[in-house]
Amino acid sequence: MATFTHSLLTLSLLVSIFHLSFAARRLVQDKDQDQLLHYHNGPLLYGKIAVNLIWYGKFKPSQKAIITDFVTSLSSPASQNAQPSVATWWKTTEKYYHLSSKKPSSLSLSLADQILDEGYSLGKSLTSKHLVELASKGGQKNAINVVLTSADVAVEGFCMSRCGTHGSSSTTSHVKDGKNYKFAYIWVGNSETQCPGQCAWPFHQPIYGPQSPPLIAPNNDVGLDGMVINLASLLAGTATNPFGNGYFQGPAEAPLEAASACPGVYGKGAYPGYAGELLVDSTTGGSYNVNGGNGRKYLVPALYDPSTSSCSTPV
């Protein structure tokens, strides 16, 4: 499968009220991939940041657990989970903080509020503005608000140009002290019924490029395991380029970021159509590269390591 099959092209959308940064999977390999991502002197996320989840549509409790266990695993003590772990994978993002000209800071993510919208308050066909509206339902101070849409929800550009998005917005709604905070947000859709070949590879047959048998999803849910891959990519992009002026290459409207700089790479030896050498669960046969909380196993993307100018994989 060619690199472009698991990395959707990003569209340049001009939205006046907020900055959009399309990340995750690009359909085209970037020629400047080997170069260090340029720092644009903007603020990075630091300190204790709450990750609020906005569940839009119908999700089973078992599906929610896959996501919540992943988020809590990001800041778990290194000794808590088997290695390689989600937390050790995430540590690669810290290298960006040490390279910036600003005072080195640490970032700690923690699972906070979960907001349920099972009644599809905005319908089953959402625009980019709808995503910001939903993201605004979460707390806006020191927060990343993550909108997760169920498999039966269509989103502007979903499958055609993107598997997920991250950006930032500011609003005074739901803020008790009346102050205007700028918060980061992420949207990820469940692609299981709409485009798993684009947004859930390598757990589904790709729709483009070399055809290879799909891998078994580590949590036995193609849609949710695919969402984890995209969420992981977007979280890395959010941490290192939260407001559109952090670390990235290319145009600000469609930047190449920490994870999208390494499209389709999950293990050593990866090449177009091959995710790389991965670990395999002896019981389920599921392919993974990191361990998480509650015995979970996940597949996460390689991250661009600025200290080596190369894509760093957990395995």
Side-chain angles (χ1 to χ4, degrees):
M1 167 177 161
T3 301
F4 55 78
T5 62
H6 47 75
S7 294
L8 287 176
L9 280 175
T10 56
L11 294 178
S12 299
L13 297 183
L14 299 177
V15 183
S16 60
I17 59 171
F18 59 91
H19 155 74
L20 272 182
S21 175
F22 298 118
R25 307 164 169 201
R26 302 170 65 90
L27 286 174
V28 178
Q29 182 90 17
D30 195 290
K31 294 180 180 179
D32 297 326
Q33 180 175 324
D34 295 331
Q35 297 178 15
L36 182 68
L37 300 185
H38 181 63
Y39 182 46
H40 295 76
N41 298 314
L44 307 181
L45 296 183
Y46 65 92
K48 295 182 179 179
I49 299 293
V51 178
N52 301 308
L53 303 181
I54 297 96
W55 300 93
Y56 191 83
K58 300 292 196 299
F59 287 90
K60 300 175 183 177
S62 60
Q63 293 180 315
K64 293 177 183 176
I66 293 171
I67 298 292
T68 56
D69 285 344
F70 175 74
V71 173
T72 55
S73 298
L74 290 165
S75 297
S76 298
S79 59
Q80 184 169 314
N81 299 316
Q83 297 299 318
S85 69
V86 173
T88 53
W89 164 81
W90 181 251
K91 278 190 174 297
T92 298
T93 62
E94 293 180 2
K95 297 183 180 183
Y96 289 84
Y97 288 73
H98 298 306
L99 285 177
S100 71
S101 58
K102 305 188 185 305
K103 183 180 179 180
S105 302
S106 60
L107 169 64
S108 176
L109 302 180
S110 61
L111 180 64
D113 296 336
Q114 297 191 58
I115 299 169
L116 304 181
D117 190 337
E118 297 180 333
Y120 307 91
S121 63
L122 299 177
K124 292 188 176 183
S125 182
L126 305 180
T127 65
S128 294
K129 288 185 178 181
H130 285 147
L131 297 179
V132 179
E133 183 177 341
L134 290 171
S136 298
K137 293 179 180 293
Q140 287 132 30
K141 186 177 182 181
N142 299 324
I144 300 174
N145 294 334
V146 181
V147 177
L148 303 158
T149 52
S150 57
D152 57 346
V153 176
V155 177
E156 179 183 355
F158 191 26
C159 298
M160 293 182 292
S161 62
R162 55 182 180 171
C163 302
T165 260
H166 84 84
S168 62
S169 182
S170 58
T171 178
T172 55
S173 61
H174 303 281
V175 179
K176 293 181 180 179
D177 57 14
K179 293 183 180 179
N180 195 331
Y181 294 103
K182 196 170 188 179
F183 68 94
Y185 71 88
I186 290 171
W187 158 70
V188 178
N190 184 344
S191 67
E192 184 174 17
T193 60
Q194 298 183 55
C195 56
Q198 290 167 290
C199 295
W201 185 85
F203 302 129
H204 190 279
Q205 200 79 10
I207 61 170
Y208 303 113
Q211 297 295 301
S212 55
L215 304 178
I216 296 175
N219 295 287
N220 197 35
D221 191 313
V222 170
L224 268 293
D225 279 300
M227 289 182 81
V228 168
I229 292 174
N230 290 300
L231 176 59
S233 174
L234 291 161
L235 280 168
T238 298
T240 56
N241 185 32
F243 306 116
N245 51 8
Y247 285 96
F248 68 90
Q249 279 186 39
E253 312 87 52
L256 196 66
E257 298 176 321
S260 54
C262 304
V265 179
Y266 299 95
K268 288 182 174 60
Y271 55 82
Y274 175 58
E277 299 175 15
L278 303 176
L279 302 173
V280 178
D281 188 297
S282 59
T283 302
T284 66
S287 294
Y288 68 102
N289 58 8
V290 289
N291 294 277
N294 293 323
R296 294 278 183 193
K297 294 173 172 58
Y298 296 104
L299 187 67
V300 294
L303 295 179
Y304 184 86
D305 187 332
S307 65
T308 62
S309 296
S310 64
C311 293
S312 175
T313 59
V315 295

